[in-house]
Amino acid sequence: MKQFTKDTMIFVIVFLQSVSALTVVENTEGRGGDEEEEKEKEVNLKVVQPTEQWQSLKPGQAVPAGSHVRLNLQTGQREVRLGEEQLKYWTQEHQRYDTAVTLIFTLLSLCTRCQENMISSVSMYRPLEELKRDMAQLDLLLETDVQIMRRLLEQFNSSNSTAEQRMNILLELEYLVHQVDNAQTLCSMGGLQVILEGLNSSDLRLQENSAFVLGSALSSNPVVQVKAVESGALQTLLTVLAIAQPLRVKKKVLFAVASLLRHFPYAQHNFLSHGGLQVLSELFRADGDGVLRLRIVTMLYDIISEKVQQQPMCERVRQYSKVSLDGELLEKGWCSLVPQLLESTEHDYREKALRALLAMAPMCLDQYRSDSSLMDSLLSLRDQYQHMVQSEMILGEENSYFTELVELIDKLQVKMKTK
């Protein structure tokens, strides 16, 4: 039989009291209990409590008002049962009482099951000292990120490692170097040189993944950016871009170049002095799909914008003054290259081209004004996007993306018309 706690039994008693108006009577043993028992028998003898079944009446017994009484002709005894109204009321209360009792015992069963589960769960946990002892016996090694990177580099440099294993190692390193500290630690343990060797590999997959790791390690990490420039990473990246490579490799290498140049004027100066803009212009002209064009124009826009946004009397202003970007852009023909991106059918490509054209306007205005195809493209695009804006306004949409594009075109046209 299930054992219930004291609190559970109190809950049951209170619940029964609320359902059937039961009264809890204290044990009166030893305090005149026999007299009360005799009185109760006497009361029960005088007044009978009818039920839904016929029952015999003893001489002297009374029945409550509304009860149904008959004479049994076979036995000659009077019989009583509940009247129709009483029977209806008793049946409803009986059903309600049965439902309440069923609910109570269901709750009791659930409480007992919960207690058993809690005891079972507690028994599942083991003492900390016991766990430590078992871990020591298993010689279980919990590696830190530093230990993992050191192990991965050793495996990468092992002569027994296959190209496939090295691919997986680079992917694991790429995940780890997203943390600034991990990227710096990887450089300090010689990981940067391993990555650069991967860029020079004849295996295109190793080139692609090495560039991916390098770009992730360089992102927003000045310490790694400095070490990369000092290690000759920029020259290696430009060399890979300059030779024939599949698109997937060049995309990752461009990602690494952009990460190296962003907010780093010293790297930008080295990029220009090593013919970086010339490499990009050749890549731009050779790209028919426009995927690389978009990345190149975005990178140029970022470089131009961050130089303009520097605060006066800032040390970076002095550093950016050494980056002679204006003359290089003019010399390498970027004032006429960037407008070609407007021919794309992709709205995102056009947006990046418009932003780059605005950023380059101070140095390219004369060429813009003499470029009739650029003027025609801007007029055509404005009509197209203005029509889209009006269509969206009819539908109740305002401040849309196309409105922003119209504003960019207007700004560029104003600059071109201003003398």
Side-chain angles (χ1 to χ4, degrees):
M1 181 176 179
K2 296 183 188 292
Q3 299 296 323
F4 302 111
T5 63
K6 179 179 179 182
D7 291 340
T8 306
M9 295 306 298
I10 292 174
F11 163 74
V12 173
I13 293 172
V14 172
F15 191 85
L16 285 172
Q17 285 178 328
S18 64
V19 173
S20 54
L22 295 178
T23 303
V24 182
V25 181
E26 293 184 357
N27 187 1
T28 56
E29 185 177 354
R31 293 183 297 171
D34 294 339
E35 292 182 7
E36 292 184 4
E37 185 176 351
E38 290 299 326
K39 290 180 180 179
E40 184 178 350
K41 289 182 179 179
E42 184 177 348
V43 170
N44 289 338
L45 184 64
K46 292 181 180 180
V47 180
V48 69
Q49 297 297 327
T51 66
E52 77 278 15
Q53 302 293 333
W54 289 104
Q55 57 179 310
S56 299
L57 280 174
K58 296 179 181 179
Q61 284 186 322
V63 298
S67 302
H68 188 53
V69 181
R70 73 177 184 181
L71 178 63
N72 191 327
L73 297 178
Q74 293 181 352
T75 61
Q77 293 182 341
R78 289 192 308 157
E79 296 177 344
V80 64
R81 75 170 185 181
L82 292 171
E84 295 299 329
E85 293 297 324
Q86 292 175 323
L87 183 61
K88 179 179 178 181
Y89 174 78
W90 187 90
T91 303
Q92 292 174 346
E93 288 298 309
H94 182 70
Q95 291 175 346
R96 189 179 298 115
Y97 182 80
D98 285 347
T99 302
V101 172
T102 302
L103 176 61
I104 290 170
F105 282 98
T106 301
L107 291 173
L108 289 175
S109 177
L110 290 173
C111 290
T112 304
R113 195 175 307 168
C114 288
Q115 291 175 349
E116 293 174 351
N117 290 338
M118 289 176 63
I119 295 173
S120 175
S121 299
V122 171
S123 64
M124 291 173 61
Y125 293 100
R126 301 166 61 191
L128 180 60
E129 294 301 324
E130 183 180 343
L131 291 174
K132 288 182 178 180
R133 185 172 61 253
D134 290 347
M135 291 171 64
Q137 292 174 354
L138 293 173
D139 194 22
L140 184 61
L141 177 63
L142 299 178
E143 292 182 298
T144 63
D145 286 352
V146 175
Q147 292 171 327
I148 292 173
M149 289 189 293
R150 182 175 290 110
R151 173 175 56 80
L152 291 174
L153 288 178
E154 291 174 356
Q155 293 175 357
F156 189 91
N157 292 324
S158 173
S159 58
N160 297 325
S161 297
T162 64
E164 196 65 33
Q165 289 173 333
R166 286 175 177 158
M167 287 276 296
N168 293 330
I169 289 172
L170 288 173
L171 291 176
E172 289 189 55
L173 288 174
E174 194 280 327
Y175 172 78
L176 291 168
V177 297
H178 280 279
Q179 292 189 19
V180 173
D181 293 342
N182 284 346
Q184 296 174 3
T185 303
L186 182 67
C187 290
S188 64
M189 61 175 59
L192 184 58
Q193 192 60 37
V194 172
I195 295 172
L196 294 180
E197 291 175 2
L199 281 171
N200 289 319
S201 172
S202 58
D203 190 325
L204 297 178
R205 297 178 304 168
L206 286 179
Q207 283 188 340
E208 178 185 1
N209 284 323
S210 295
F212 192 25
V213 176
L214 181 59
S216 299
L218 290 167
S219 297
S220 302
N221 201 327
V223 173
V224 180
Q225 286 177 314
V226 171
K227 291 184 177 180
V229 172
E230 293 174 348
S231 301
L234 182 58
Q235 295 90 314
T236 302
L237 291 170
L238 291 176
T239 301
V240 176
L241 284 178
I243 60 179
Q245 296 288 358
L247 178 62
R248 69 176 192 273
V249 175
K250 292 189 176 181
K251 286 169 63 176
K252 290 296 190 295
V253 174
L254 272 177
F255 164 62
V257 172
S259 299
L260 179 57
L261 300 184
R262 187 169 292 115
H263 299 295
F264 192 16
Y266 178 69
Q268 294 172 17
H269 174 73
N270 280 271
F271 171 76
L272 295 176
S273 62
H274 285 87
L277 277 183
Q278 179 63 36
V279 173
L280 293 186
S281 63
E282 294 174 359
L283 197 61
F284 187 96
R285 291 184 174 94
D287 180 37
D289 297 332
V291 177
L292 297 181
R293 288 187 173 190
L294 178 65
R295 294 170 183 259
I296 293 170
V297 170
T298 302
M299 182 169 60
L300 292 178
Y301 170 75
D302 290 340
I303 295 174
I304 297 171
S305 299
E306 67 185 45
K307 181 178 180 179
V308 173
Q309 293 170 2
Q310 297 304 313
Q311 299 294 328
M313 306 302 294
C314 175
E315 171 60 22
R316 280 186 173 268
V317 173
R318 185 186 65 80
Q319 296 177 7
Y320 276 106
S321 65
K322 297 181 179 181
V323 181
S324 56
L325 186 61
D326 297 1
E328 288 286 334
L329 289 172
L330 285 170
E331 183 181 343
K332 299 302 185 295
W334 284 100
C335 297
S336 58
L337 286 176
V338 175
Q340 295 178 20
L341 200 59
L342 295 174
E343 299 172 4
S344 173
T345 57
E346 298 290 335
H347 301 305
D348 182 50
Y349 287 27
R350 294 171 177 175
E351 179 202 350
K352 295 296 191 298
L354 289 169
R355 293 189 183 280
L357 289 170
L358 280 169
M360 295 164 57
M363 66 200 78
C364 295
L365 269 181
D366 290 338
Q367 294 196 33
Y368 290 171
R369 291 166 181 158
S370 61
D371 190 346
S372 58
S373 61
L374 174 58
M375 299 287 290
D376 294 339
S377 295
L378 292 176
L379 290 173
S380 175
L381 288 176
R382 193 187 189 287
D383 290 341
Q384 177 184 346
Y385 287 126
Q386 187 61 42
H387 178 71
M388 292 180 177
V389 170
Q390 292 174 352
S391 299
E392 290 184 337
M393 291 180 65
I394 294 175
L395 297 175
E397 299 179 8
E398 296 182 1
N399 299 323
S400 69
Y401 174 67
F402 301 122
T403 302
E404 185 178 352
L405 294 181
V406 171
E407 292 174 353
L408 290 175
I409 295 172
D410 289 342
K411 289 180 181 178
L412 186 56
Q413 287 178 327
V414 169
K415 286 182 177 293
M416 292 171 64
K417 293 176 181 178
T418 303
K419 297 295 184 179

